[in-house]
Amino acid sequence: MLRAAAILFFTFCTQGALAQALSTSVGNFELIEMAGGLDTPWAVGILPDDSFLVTERDGNLLYVKDGEAKAISGVPKVAASGQGGLLDVTVSRDFNQSREVFLTFSKPQKGGAGTAVAVARLSKNGTRLTNLRVIFEAYPGGSGGRHFGSRVVEANDGTLFVTIGDRGDAPQAQDRSNALGSVIRINRDGSVPSDNPFIGQADIRPEIWTYGHRNPQGADLDARGRLWVSEHGARGGDEVNLVKPGANYGWPVISYGTHYSGEKIGEGTSKPGMEQPRLYWDPSIAPSGLMVYSGDMFPEWRGDIFVGSLKFDYIARLSGDPLREVEQIKGPETERVRDIVQAPDGAIWFISVGQGAVYRMSVKQ
């Protein structure tokens, strides 16, 4: 449960938030702190009535409305160790009817923990989750606290894309008998869509959509319904990939990075049958949340990709073909950007782990 003192501070900080200006290539925008006093926030999900949900990695799920934060009961037990814990939260497209939300988290398993996906109903007063079901979990679990992923994105057809890290065991990303180092695609009840690319193939998990990923922590759909992901490289080699069904994204056979020791990774930077990233960073920026902008509030940015940097404390704006980083949106508030999402009104919301806060960026009124 969230400590009472933390709730009190969080409420005061939210209600007393002051508008700041954030400089960008198309002018200064208003930046408002929507929530503060957070302990390692990981993801934000905006509800239709402009209230919102925030995950804290140690296992808290918060409901924030009218400047007041409440801890939600009924959250699944998480293995909060290293990079693991309560991770993503995604509000279903039909929330007004179903009140369903999707969570990803590190689920305790024999021998450690694995990335899992759950769905539950949020009560009307925002205080509890009901009918919680774990609809997928990645095996085998591991004792290391690294590389869980993980984002969950609801596609236009209602299926779910989930990004899963290699758990620090790189060769697993090429082993399709498990889901480590992959993007999976499942139905909302956890069943496997009949048109997944590896259906019926021996020794391949049918949930796998793509494989050869290291630690994908950002994902979003573009206006055409295509999935983009951002993922951590090793020493260099952070990537943004356009995900295509059945494709192999190469880790750890190819990479633009090196091992932390400085040694070469795999066989080089390319190999037939393996996809090239649409963009890579060297040195690494430690990319986390990714958002493809499609709103009306910032028409100049429509179609651009925004990625949060945990290492260099900025939001990268990517544009063009070939894709390139064209702008760094940076200020005290962009310290360790973990998540970035588009609100229904077109505003851009992001999480700063360094500030322990959720911010809203909008056109100045």
Side-chain angles (χ1 to χ4, degrees):
M1 292 295 292
L2 189 67
R3 298 179 302 275
I7 294 178
L8 183 63
F9 172 74
F10 182 78
T11 301
F12 284 154
C13 188
T14 302
Q15 290 177 335
L18 298 175
Q20 305 291 330
L22 189 63
S23 178
T24 75
S25 60
V26 291
N28 291 334
F29 293 115
E30 186 173 79
L31 195 66
I32 297 176
E33 183 181 286
M34 304 300 293
L38 299 171
D39 182 7
T40 319
W42 215 92
V44 58
I46 304 172
L47 297 168
D49 65 355
D50 294 328
S51 60
F52 58 98
L53 306 175
V54 184
T55 61
E56 293 181 314
R57 201 173 62 195
D58 65 1
N60 291 320
L61 177 63
L62 305 177
Y63 172 70
V64 186
K65 184 174 183 179
D66 298 329
E68 182 180 0
K70 299 177 182 178
I72 299 171
S73 65
V75 179
K77 181 180 179 181
V78 305
S81 177
Q83 297 171 1
L86 184 59
L87 303 174
D88 204 15
V89 57
T90 295
V91 178
S92 65
R93 292 178 181 273
D94 64 353
F95 180 84
N96 281 332
Q97 291 75 44
S98 70
R99 297 198 64 82
E100 287 189 336
V101 297
F102 307 103
L103 301 169
T104 66
F105 61 103
S106 54
K107 184 178 183 293
Q109 297 173 339
K110 184 178 180 180
T115 303
V117 187
V119 61
R121 289 175 60 89
L122 180 68
S123 64
K124 288 188 177 181
N125 63 2
T127 62
R128 60 193 175 94
L129 295 179
T130 62
N131 196 26
L132 179 83
R133 294 100 67 202
V134 174
I135 57 175
F136 178 85
E137 59 182 296
Y139 291 102
S143 58
R146 296 185 294 158
H147 301 185
F148 290 92
S150 66
R151 298 287 174 188
V152 54
V153 175
E154 185 179 4
N156 295 333
D157 64 1
T159 59
L160 304 177
F161 291 114
V162 185
T163 69
I164 299 172
D166 68 4
R167 297 305 324 285
D169 186 358
Q172 297 287 352
Q174 292 294 319
D175 180 358
R176 288 174 289 170
S177 68
N178 65 68
L180 303 186
S182 73
V183 174
I184 66 164
R185 178 175 175 254
I186 56 176
N187 292 315
R188 283 175 54 157
D189 63 359
S191 62
V192 180
S194 61
D195 58 346
N196 271 12
F198 300 114
I199 289 287
Q201 297 190 36
D203 300 320
I204 300 179
R205 293 284 303 197
E207 300 92 347
I208 293 175
W209 187 252
T210 60
Y211 62 107
H213 301 279
R214 185 174 183 267
N215 188 23
Q217 286 192 349
D220 196 14
L221 303 175
D222 65 16
R224 295 165 58 184
R226 301 179 303 176
L227 183 70
W228 294 80
V229 300
S230 58
E231 52 189 286
H232 293 265
R235 185 178 176 185
D238 294 344
E239 295 181 356
V240 172
N241 286 299
L242 176 59
V243 171
K244 300 185 293 186
N248 181 354
Y249 287 82
W251 177 257
V253 180
I254 61 172
S255 175
Y256 283 90
T258 63
H259 290 292
Y260 294 110
S261 65
E263 294 182 4
K264 178 182 175 182
I265 293 174
E267 301 176 19
T269 59
S270 65
K271 186 175 182 177
M274 295 184 177
E275 297 295 317
Q276 285 290 299
R278 291 304 177 100
L279 178 146
Y280 71 90
W281 285 276
D282 189 9
S284 295
I285 70 164
S288 193
L290 177 149
M291 178 267 291
V292 185
Y293 191 75
S294 60
D296 295 327
M297 187 172 290
F298 307 110
E300 301 92 341
W301 291 345
R302 200 172 292 130
D304 289 354
I305 297 174
F306 293 77
V307 178
S309 168
L310 293 166
K311 183 176 181 181
F312 294 125
D313 302 333
Y314 69 90
I315 297 170
R317 182 169 68 88
L318 316 178
S319 190
D321 187 10
L323 194 67
R324 62 190 182 92
E325 183 179 289
V326 296
E327 183 175 7
Q328 296 181 1
I329 300 171
K330 189 176 180 71
E333 299 83 2
T334 61
E335 184 180 1
R336 289 186 58 79
V337 176
R338 173 65 74 181
D339 195 15
I340 182 165
V341 300
Q342 179 183 311
D345 65 358
I348 295 173
W349 291 44
F350 63 90
I351 281 179
S352 165
V353 180
Q355 297 290 341
V358 177
Y359 293 98
R360 176 183 185 269
M361 186 170 74
S362 62
V363 172
K364 197 168 183 178
Q365 300 298 317

